[in-house]
């Protein structure tokens, strides 16, 4: 068969000689368009591993989609035409469009099938079927206890505890970003239906991006290429946070921070939750002066103790206030009464889809709260709460269109208002948002999503682990939970103290480490002495891990990494690892197995992959590919370190940015060559974006039993001229070589490491 080359739009295209192009397929400089009896199919590569697919009536340009902000790259591609199919090929992917019918198959460059469509319907809502036998992850946060969605119907509808992110990934090596903000059902692996069906209740047509890895880190890179990079959080973000629902007075909040400092327990932030305002002043962003006589002084006193202050803000405003009237005057509020949405005379929610309303909403926050010096924002009920499980916001008309079309995107627009305003008006502080909901693209808004108003019981706790992993598998890297559960629990109850301790241990290995809940305060001193001892030990461990965590956060920003990693990220070829819902990697060195059963003294842990593992606590070595019985008494969460890891452990500090001359331990785990990059910068502000940061790259040569520390790359204001490293073989705590590193190349011999 003879092929001939055409040159179209600056890109080489191909057609089958002797078969003239027909009106069925149109070559474009950005891809190809295929007309079928049912509608028009458009295939456009936006990166070598990412392809945009749209199908709908003539003129359909895509659904409402604030998530995707990237412009397509200039991607070299070829178009082929054969009797049975059209093809579009990049260096990585081939997209095959069947003739007749127009079904799409995604293939590797050498023609191996990755994913095949199985039919579409745009006449009744929007439905896309796929034929695939694979594990499916992602979709945001759904607290059903599942990691793999096969055999389920998952509803993407924002609500308290349910976070709708229309991003699916498979360990087969692909991801699908479903560009539709309407309420959507995803059916996966049901016996009565196709392998995968995605059905949205509204939208102009089928619209999705297909991303290929095959490694899941590369799939996530593709997603963030489309929707935005996650900015670097301040170092203090990764310390201990203390909160409750809610501190009733200024003195109570200040007393909490003061007692932590008095007890010399590390702490980095406290949160003022809701109802600091007068009755009827929800959304005024003003304090009740009787209970909080000097808010600016309160924040200043916290800062003087090196404690950061966060404050809760809602998208809801009471009816008769100046802020409400100002937003209403620009059309920035939903109606005061609306069938099935608001009772007459109740509070109103601002229209985050309206750019003028977003700007005014932020300026109201900044004028009354930002000027007091608060360091970040807790956006409660950011889904917004008027949607709830019943989805009543679908009946509202927004600035972006009917609520049923744009429904799930509200948290993205809401966090955009606060992020963009903070970057502009508080430039000395890295933006920070804690939010109850999320949508695709929200990682670009410096937002950490927490798991909502959970119950403090073992069943809920067990479900937190796969919920977190599926959330980070969507490409949004930062997740948190109310340690101990939001509702219920008394610290003096031994049964609850056990649950809290296990949740606290899990929290050490979460991106954000934060205590919160209703009822009795859950500050460390509320627990008995034995529990306090365990909690203090784990707080100390969290602070020792800060160099590792901060470097992992740099990997998130610089290389689109993921900090809390389902096992499929690193062990995609290990079939057993793909089904485990209660183990994960924290960074790329640590395997964490939370204890999610009461009265446990041991738990079974599967050690994935092919390389050896070391018990973090004892240093004992274990072969991979086996289940071990791990010690799990009340003081121990099973943690294992991967062979070839270089693990930095800093000194215990009272707060993350406290200066210290103490050495950083570098624990080397033998059995494989390894590399690590230790990141540092000033800890806050945006100078890092202009290159003000430092990297120290390290390489472990296992055969030579030598650690090479490369010359330091970069610098930042206030950077220490020298750093002492205490280098040791991870399993041999007694063998330590101290090195004073001045930024020049250094080699450290550990001759007995691994013997």
């Amino acid at each position: 068969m003879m092929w001939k080359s055409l040159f179209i739009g600056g890109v080489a295209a191909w057609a089958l000689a002797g078969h003239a192009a027909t009106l069925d397929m149109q070559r474009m400089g950005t891809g190809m368009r295929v007309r079928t009896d049912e509608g028009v199919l458009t295939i456009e590569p936006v990166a070598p591993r990412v392809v945009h697919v749209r199908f709908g009536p003539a003129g359909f340009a895509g659904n409402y989609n604030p998530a995707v902000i990237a412009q397509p790259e200039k991607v070299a591609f070829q178009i082929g035409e054969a009797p049975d199919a059209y093809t579009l090929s990049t260096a990585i992917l081939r997209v095959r469009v069947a003739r007749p019918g127009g079904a799409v198959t995604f293939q590797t460059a050498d023609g191996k099938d990755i994913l095949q469509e199985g039919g579409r319907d745009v006449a009744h809502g929007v439905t896309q079927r796929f034929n695939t036998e694979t594990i499916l992850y992602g979709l945001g946060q759904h607290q059903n206890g599942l990691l793999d969605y096969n055999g389920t119907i998952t509803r993407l509808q924002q609500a308290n505890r349910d976070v709708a992110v229309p991003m699916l990934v498979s360990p087969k090596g692909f991801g699908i970003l479903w560009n539709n903000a309407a309420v959507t059902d995803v059916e996966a692996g049901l016996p009565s239906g196709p392998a995968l069906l995605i059905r949205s209740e509204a939208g102009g047509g089928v619209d999705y991006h297909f991303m290929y890895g095959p490694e899941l880190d590369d799939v996530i890179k593709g997603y963030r290429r489309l929707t935005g990079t996650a900015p670097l959080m301040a170092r203090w973000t990764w310390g201990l946070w203390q909160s409750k629902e809610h501190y009733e007075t200024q003195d109570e909040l200040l007393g909490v921070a003061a007692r932590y400092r008095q007890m010399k327990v590390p702490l980095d932030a406290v949160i003022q939750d809701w109802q600091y305002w007068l009755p009827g002043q929800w959304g005024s962003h003003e304090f009740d002066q009787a209970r909080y006589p000097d808010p600016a002084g309160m924040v200043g006193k916290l800062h003087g103790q090196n404690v950061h202050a966060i404050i809760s803000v809602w998208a809801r405003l009471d009816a008769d206030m100046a802020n409400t009237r100002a937003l209403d005057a620009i059309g920035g509020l939903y109606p005061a009464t609306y069938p099935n949405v608001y009772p007459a005379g109740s509070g109103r929610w601002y229209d985050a889809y309206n750019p003028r309303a977003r700007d005014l909403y932020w300026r109201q926050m900044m004028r009354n709260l930002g000027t007091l010096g608060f360091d970040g924002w807790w956006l409660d009920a950011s889904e917004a709460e008027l949607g709830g499980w019943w989805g009543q916001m679908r009946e509202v008309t927004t600035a972006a269109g009917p609520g049923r079309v744009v429904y799930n995107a509200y948290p993205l627009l809401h966090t955009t208002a606060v992020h963009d305003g903070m970057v502009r008006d508080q430039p000395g502080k890295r933006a920070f948002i804690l939010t109850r909901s999320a949508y695709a693209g929200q990682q670009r808004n410096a937002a950490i999503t927490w798991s909502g108003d959970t119950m403090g019981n073992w069943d809920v706790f067990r479900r937190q682990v796969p919920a977190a992993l599926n959330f980070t598998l969507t490409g949004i890297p930062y997740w948190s939970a109310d340690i101990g559960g939001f509702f219920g629990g008394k610290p003096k109850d031994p049964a609850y103290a056990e649950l809290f301790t296990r949740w606290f241990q899990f929290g050490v290995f979460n991106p954000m480490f934060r205590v919160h809940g209703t009822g009795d305060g859950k500050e460390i001193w509320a627990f008995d002495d034995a529990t306090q001892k365990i909690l203090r030990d784990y707080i100390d461990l969290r602070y020792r891990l800060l160099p590792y965590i901060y470097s992992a956060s740099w990997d998130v920003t610089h290389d689109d990494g993921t900090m809390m990693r389902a096992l499929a990220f690193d062990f995609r070829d290990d079939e057993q690892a793909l089904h485990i819902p209660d183990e994960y990697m924290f960074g790329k060195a640590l395997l964490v197995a939370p204890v999610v059963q009461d009265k446990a003294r041991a738990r079974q842990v599967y050690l994935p992959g092919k390389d050896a593992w070391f018990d973090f606590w004892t240093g004992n070595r274990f072969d991979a590919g086996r289940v071990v019985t791990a010690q799990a008494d009340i003081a121990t969460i099973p943690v294992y370190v991967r062979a070839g890891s270089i693990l930095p452990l800093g000194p215990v500090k009272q707060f993350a940015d406290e200066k210290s001359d103490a050495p950083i331990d570098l624990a080397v785990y033998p059995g494989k060559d390894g590399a690590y990059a230790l990141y540092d910068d000033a800890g806050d502000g945006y100078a890092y974006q202009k290159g003000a940061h430092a990297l120290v790259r390290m390489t472990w040569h296992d055969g030579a039993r030598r650690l090479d520390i490369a010359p330091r790359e970069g610098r930042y204001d206030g950077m220490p001229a020298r750093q002492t490293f205490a280098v040791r073989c991870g399993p041999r705590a007694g063998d330590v070589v101290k090195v004073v590193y001045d930024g020049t190349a250094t080699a450290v011999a550990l001759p007995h490491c691994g013997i």
Side-chain angles (χ1 to χ4, degrees):
M1 187 175 291
M2 186 175 72
W3 293 81
K4 63 182 181 180
S5 173
L6 304 175
F7 197 77
I8 300 173
V11 179
W14 298 85
L16 186 63
H19 294 268
T22 71
L23 294 177
D24 290 336
M25 190 271 288
Q26 175 188 357
R27 296 174 173 84
M28 306 180 297
T30 58
M32 70 178 179
R33 182 177 293 128
V34 179
R35 298 182 184 276
T36 74
D37 293 339
E38 293 80 23
V40 178
L41 175 69
T42 303
I43 310 287
E44 295 179 309
V46 297
R49 298 175 186 271
V50 182
V51 176
H52 191 188
V53 178
R54 299 190 299 277
F55 180 84
F60 174 63
N63 294 317
Y64 170 77
N65 186 17
V68 175
I69 57 174
Q71 294 299 314
E73 298 177 16
K74 292 183 178 180
V75 182
F77 63 88
Q78 296 177 335
I79 293 177
E81 184 176 352
D84 62 340
Y86 303 113
T87 58
L88 184 150
S89 302
T90 72
I92 306 295
L93 278 175
R94 178 187 299 170
V95 185
R96 184 181 186 276
V97 181
R99 302 172 67 182
V104 172
T105 301
F106 300 96
Q107 301 175 323
T108 60
D110 59 359
K112 296 177 182 177
D113 286 359
I114 305 167
L115 177 68
Q116 182 181 53
E117 288 187 350
R120 321 177 188 96
D121 181 4
V122 296
H124 309 91
V126 177
T127 300
Q128 176 68 64
R129 296 172 179 84
F130 295 96
N131 299 324
T132 179
E133 298 297 331
T134 182
I135 296 166
L136 294 168
Y137 305 133
L139 297 181
Q141 174 191 269
H142 305 281
Q143 299 184 40
N144 52 17
L146 300 175
L147 183 63
D148 177 12
Y149 287 108
N150 270 294
T152 68
I153 301 175
T154 303
R155 170 150 286 202
L156 302 186
Q157 179 176 329
Q158 307 290 17
N160 188 347
R161 298 188 292 277
D162 285 311
V163 178
V165 183
M167 171 75 177
L168 268 171
V169 299
S170 165
K172 193 175 178 180
F174 67 84
I176 300 170
L177 177 60
W178 181 252
N179 299 315
N180 193 314
V183 171
T184 297
D185 288 330
V186 179
E187 300 180 12
L190 296 182
S192 59
L196 174 62
L197 182 146
I198 306 175
R199 179 191 296 112
S200 295
E201 67 177 24
V206 169
D207 182 354
Y208 66 92
H209 283 85
F210 176 87
M211 290 148 281
Y212 182 60
E215 299 305 322
L216 293 191
D217 279 316
D218 291 322
V219 173
I220 297 306
K221 283 178 187 288
Y223 161 83
R224 298 215 193 122
R225 161 71 181 78
L226 293 170
T227 62
T229 297
L232 193 66
M233 300 285 190
R235 193 188 339 259
W236 61 265
T237 307
W238 311 124
L240 174 65
W241 295 60
Q242 181 65 58
S243 178
K244 68 175 288 189
E245 191 279 316
H246 60 276
Y247 295 125
E248 182 68 24
T249 67
Q250 175 175 321
D251 287 345
E252 183 184 10
L253 187 146
L254 289 173
V256 168
R259 189 162 180 183
Y260 270 99
R261 288 288 179 254
Q262 180 185 15
M263 294 176 66
K264 298 191 181 305
V265 176
L267 179 71
D268 265 279
V270 293
I271 304 177
Q272 175 61 57
D273 200 356
W274 68 337
Q275 295 185 12
Y276 50 85
W277 51 80
L278 285 164
Q281 294 294 300
W282 199 335
S284 67
H285 310 314
E286 294 180 353
F287 283 87
D288 175 355
Q289 291 293 310
R291 294 182 293 130
Y292 303 85
D294 183 11
M298 175 183 73
V299 174
K301 188 167 185 177
L302 291 170
H303 287 170
Q305 297 170 309
N306 296 294
V307 177
H308 292 81
I310 315 301
I311 190 160
S312 171
V313 183
W314 290 57
R316 178 193 184 279
L317 298 90
D318 277 338
D320 187 22
M321 296 189 308
N323 285 349
T324 313
R325 290 190 291 272
L327 282 162
D328 206 15
I330 64 167
L333 293 175
Y334 298 132
T337 58
Y338 212 93
N340 301 322
V341 179
Y342 305 109
S346 70
R348 299 174 66 180
W349 295 76
Y350 93 101
D351 185 355
Y353 300 93
N354 182 332
R356 291 183 64 205
R358 290 198 300 269
D359 180 66
L360 178 55
Y361 175 83
W362 162 256
R363 286 191 285 113
Q364 291 173 349
M365 286 174 55
M366 184 63 196
R367 180 180 65 241
N368 289 349
L369 294 173
T371 54
L372 301 177
F374 282 99
D375 303 294
W377 308 93
W378 185 351
L379 303 184
D380 209 338
S382 56
E383 54 273 357
E385 197 168 64
L386 58 85
W389 291 274
W390 304 276
Q392 293 165 321
M393 201 183 91
R394 287 178 281 183
E395 302 179 29
V396 172
T397 299
T398 78
R404 66 188 296 106
V405 174
V406 305
Y407 180 84
N408 280 327
Y410 190 95
L412 173 63
L413 281 301
H414 182 34
T415 56
T416 296
V418 177
H419 170 267
D420 291 359
M422 188 173 182
V423 170
R424 182 188 66 226
D425 297 337
Q426 296 180 288
K429 303 174 187 286
R430 291 183 196 164
F432 173 84
I433 295 170
L434 178 62
T435 174
R436 197 170 76 183
S437 195
Y439 188 69
Q442 198 156 299
Q443 73 281 347
R444 65 182 184 248
N445 289 340
I448 299 178
T449 298
W450 95 95
S451 59
D453 297 343
T454 55
M455 297 296 297
N457 62 53
W458 287 97
D459 183 57
V460 169
F461 175 39
R462 277 189 289 275
R463 294 165 183 257
Q464 297 299 293
V465 186
L469 299 180
N470 270 320
F471 182 80
T472 60
L473 278 159
T474 65
I476 305 178
Y478 295 135
W479 179 92
S480 175
D482 296 342
I483 289 175
F486 178 69
F487 292 112
K490 291 185 175 296
K492 298 304 181 186
D493 175 3
Y496 179 73
E498 180 191 4
L499 171 66
F500 185 88
T501 299
R502 294 306 196 183
W503 208 321
F504 198 85
Q505 292 166 345
F506 169 59
V508 168
F509 299 97
N510 288 179
M512 187 180 188
F513 182 39
R514 182 181 58 88
V515 177
H516 185 66
T518 58
D520 297 346
K522 297 169 185 173
E523 295 80 15
I524 188 171
W525 54 83
F527 295 88
D528 64 81
D529 289 347
T531 301
Q532 279 192 53
K533 170 65 168 61
I534 297 170
L535 301 182
R536 290 188 71 140
D537 288 345
Y538 276 91
I539 294 170
D540 288 352
L541 175 59
R542 175 70 178 203
Y543 278 79
R544 293 211 69 199
L545 285 167
L546 284 182
Y548 177 74
I549 293 170
Y550 200 47
S551 297
S553 73
W554 170 249
D555 179 64
V556 168
T557 296
H558 182 259
D559 204 33
D560 294 316
T562 300
M563 185 184 294
M564 193 174 187
R565 305 167 62 81
L567 296 183
F569 274 106
D570 299 287
F571 308 100
R572 193 171 61 86
D573 296 328
D574 186 332
E575 180 65 27
Q576 187 168 343
L578 303 182
H579 301 276
I580 296 176
D582 61 352
E583 297 179 24
Y584 61 94
M585 296 296 292
F586 186 61
K588 296 178 182 177
L590 300 178
L591 173 69
V592 181
V595 180
V596 294
Q597 301 286 342
D598 64 335
K599 301 180 176 60
R601 293 297 175 264
R603 71 151 283 179
Q604 301 296 294
V605 178
Y606 177 68
L607 300 176
K610 299 178 181 179
D611 301 314
W613 293 90
F614 295 87
D615 187 313
F616 175 77
W617 306 107
T618 67
N620 292 336
R621 181 191 179 280
F622 298 89
D623 291 334
R626 57 177 291 202
V627 175
V628 298
T629 300
Q631 178 181 339
D633 59 81
I634 189 61
T636 306
I637 178 175
V639 179
Y640 293 84
V641 191
R642 199 174 179 180
S645 297
I646 303 165
L647 180 65
L649 295 169
V652 177
K653 300 179 178 182
Q654 290 300 292
F655 53 95
D657 282 311
E658 184 178 26
K659 302 300 182 186
S660 174
D661 294 328
I664 292 177
D665 285 357
L666 296 179
V668 177
Y669 290 82
K672 184 181 179 180
D673 290 347
Y676 186 73
L678 181 65
Y679 174 84
D680 203 6
D681 64 18
D684 207 344
Y686 289 100
Y688 80 91
Q689 294 181 340
K690 300 177 181 178
H693 55 76
L695 276 175
V696 178
R697 300 187 187 274
M698 308 172 191
T699 305
W700 169 246
H701 303 278
D702 197 61
R705 299 187 182 94
R706 187 184 75 247
L707 179 69
D708 288 345
I709 306 176
R712 183 189 290 121
E713 302 171 23
R715 67 173 311 279
Y716 58 90
D717 288 346
M719 184 181 75
R722 293 174 177 80
Q723 171 65 58
T724 301
F725 292 125
V727 184
R728 62 179 173 86
C729 186
R732 298 174 180 270
D735 298 343
V736 177
V737 178
K738 286 196 174 181
V739 175
V740 178
Y741 177 72
D742 62 3
T744 59
T746 304
V748 183
L750 294 174
H752 302 294
C753 193
I755 297 178

